[in-house]
Amino acid sequence: MKELGKYSFGLGDRFGHQAPAQLKAIISASQKGIEITPVWNKSNREHITIGTQPSDVRVEADLAVKNTGFNKPYFVDADHINLDCVDRFIEPCDFFTIDVASFIGKKAGNNEIAEFLSGTKKYSDEIKISTKLSFKTSATQLQMIAEKYLFAAIKAWEIYRRIEKIKEKGNFITEISMDEVTQPQTPVDLFFILKMLASENIPVQTIAPKFSGRFNKGVDYSGDPLLFAREFEADLRIIEFAVNEFDLPSNLKMSIHSGSDKFAIYPHIGSLIKKYDKGIHVKTAVTTWLEEVNGLALAGGEALDFLKDLYFKALDNIEDLCAPYSDVIDINVSSLPSKQEVAKWNGRKFSDSILHNKENKLYNPDMRQLLHVAYKLAAHEIDEYFRLIESNEQIISECVYENIYTRHICRLFDIS
């Protein structure tokens, strides 16, 4: 069976030009003793917006690996797929993020619920992890969990079987995603979700639960980092116990979606996975596009002019751009600089405003989030955009590398 490494990073690349710089960051981590498996991911929505195909991601990843001489495992992820779109990803991908969020809260059949509950009687009072750690449960709670999550698990099975029928068992990595919902899952929820997945014989290697707080795209975690740490630690213990209890893959680990730039919680994640000797999968898709923007700003000239025009159009179309991302962005419109202000900026000021550095007084997270969703506008002028990023490849690749390696990998694993 293909196995995902202990540590892995989802390296999204919307416009398909930054795989070499991303891979360079992975190689630098390896030189520091941190082995990270690169996973290039791109969602169906992003393919549709930009006009690419899943096979394009495979070509980009394979070429970067070949050109750098990278000789370790790597994967291409069909990100946030469901039955409506999975077919176009099956041939080029070997990692599938099965998104069941839309099925959470929908009730399975009474017979299916009854069958599941019949296998939970030993946990009807508590889940006993060890002599010092247990989680209280009740029959009422188990009923509610079954009604909320079992249908989603069954749908995950349908999607998994669709993939397995073509790829064959053991030839791909399976991740289950349930983070794009309003309410977080409790550790008890997670335990029984894992039981459901095991009952459906899904060899899940990573799971992406919903935590408390907001994981907005491209900006820092919004919430109580200590609360997150408690939830994360409890989930680590639950996963470890469930692996043995339900005969799940031994390398099953947590996946942090929208994990890019969540610097406030990186120290907690890093210390806890070290404490329990566990792996982690972190998705960093957003920041690659934003580092292309940063590089173009620093390049100045016509590249900066293109960005200013992009920002002006984003201001004019803010509602349409933000609507699909309402759950994962939080923009204070009154804090956005006006067209008149930005028109006078040089490249350094534009870069300082959107680069995620909270120590810089010019940093504007609202502008950064707006530019995140404005990638759609760059896709409308894709020939010109490609010309600009290709002619400014050196400065952009430096920005991409610095972001993934220094701001993400070094922070998460506490290396320098």
Side-chain angles (χ1 to χ4, degrees), residues 247-259:
D247 195 27
L248 287 162
S250 60
N251 66 332
L252 173 60
K253 61 182 179 177
M254 204 95 70
S255 177
I256 305 294
H257 282 205
S258 297

Side-chain angles (χ1 to χ4, degrees), residues 365-381:
D366 300 293
M367 184 178 181
R368 181 174 170 86
Q369 288 180 89
L370 179 58
L371 282 168
H372 155 60
V373 297
Y375 83 93
K376 295 181 178 181
L377 301 177
H380 294 163
E381 302 178 63

Side-chain angles (χ1 to χ4, degrees), residues 129-389:
I129 304 296
S130 67
T131 56
K132 295 183 179 180
L133 180 64
S134 63
F135 296 88
K136 293 294 183 181
T137 61
S138 69
T140 300
Q141 184 181 20
L142 297 185
Q143 180 77 31
M144 292 174 63
I145 290 172
E147 292 181 358
K148 187 173 184 178
Y149 295 109
L150 184 57
F151 183 75
I154 293 169
K155 286 298 180 181
W157 176 86
E158 291 181 16
I159 300 167
Y160 172 80
R161 289 294 180 268
R162 181 86 151 259
I163 301 164
E164 184 191 50
K165 184 177 181 180
I166 297 173
K167 303 290 285 189
E168 297 186 352
K169 188 174 182 178
N171 289 326
F172 58 97
I173 306 296
T174 302
E175 171 169 305
I176 301 298
S177 167
M178 50 188 179
D179 64 306
E180 293 190 356
V181 292
T182 304
Q183 297 297 320
Q185 292 96 33
T186 68
V188 173
D189 290 340
L190 180 60
F191 178 77
F192 288 106
I193 289 167
L194 291 172
K195 186 180 191 312
M196 294 170 189
L197 298 176
S199 297
E200 300 293 343
N201 294 315
I202 300 174
V204 56
Q205 293 192 41
T206 77
I207 188 159
K210 165 72 174 177
F211 294 96
S212 296
R214 285 185 68 92
F215 285 71
N216 291 329
K217 297 287 188 179
V219 293
D220 213 336
Y221 172 77
S222 178
D224 181 354
L226 293 179
L227 174 59
F228 167 84
R230 290 194 294 272
E231 292 178 351
F232 185 80
E233 183 171 18
D235 284 353
L236 284 179
R237 302 296 303 275
I238 283 289
I239 289 173
E240 182 179 46
F241 182 70
V243 163
N244 295 319
E245 192 78 355
F246 306 134
D247 195 27
L248 287 162
S250 60
N251 66 332
L252 173 60
K253 61 182 179 177
M254 204 95 70
S255 177
I256 305 294
H257 282 205
S258 297
S260 51
D261 294 72
K262 300 303 177 284
F263 303 143
I265 60 174
Y266 272 19
H268 299 290
I269 295 172
S271 64
L272 287 167
I273 61 174
K274 184 177 182 180
K275 176 181 178 179
Y276 293 105
D277 191 24
K278 298 302 177 185
I280 191 72
H281 182 61
V282 179
K283 291 201 172 182
T284 64
V286 176
T287 52
T288 295
W289 147 248
L290 288 170
E291 287 305 319
E292 286 181 336
V293 171
N294 182 41
L296 291 177
L298 293 173
E302 61 176 348
L304 178 59
D305 291 339
F306 179 90
L307 290 184
K308 288 181 179 180
D309 184 60
L310 186 82
Y311 178 69
F312 300 158
K313 290 175 181 175
L315 287 175
D316 291 338
N317 295 276
I318 188 168
E319 291 185 5
D320 290 340
L321 289 172
C322 293
Y325 296 92
S326 59
D327 291 335
V328 286
I329 58 173
D330 189 9
I331 297 175
N332 181 357
V333 176
S334 65
S335 295
L336 293 171
S338 68
K339 294 181 183 180
Q340 291 75 20
E341 290 177 84
V342 174
K344 300 175 184 178
W345 288 2
N346 59 25
R348 172 55 65 181
K349 187 167 185 179
F350 198 108
S351 170
D352 285 346
S353 298
I354 60 111
L355 184 65
H356 192 170
N357 178 8
K358 289 189 284 188
E359 295 180 1
N360 189 329
K361 294 180 179 179
L362 293 178
Y363 170 56
N364 187 325
D366 300 293
M367 184 178 181
R368 181 174 170 86
Q369 288 180 89
L370 179 58
L371 282 168
H372 155 60
V373 297
Y375 83 93
K376 295 181 178 181
L377 301 177
H380 294 163
E381 302 178 63
I382 198 162
D383 290 340
E384 177 66 2
Y385 182 69
F386 279 172
R387 183 183 72 80
L388 289 171
I389 61 174

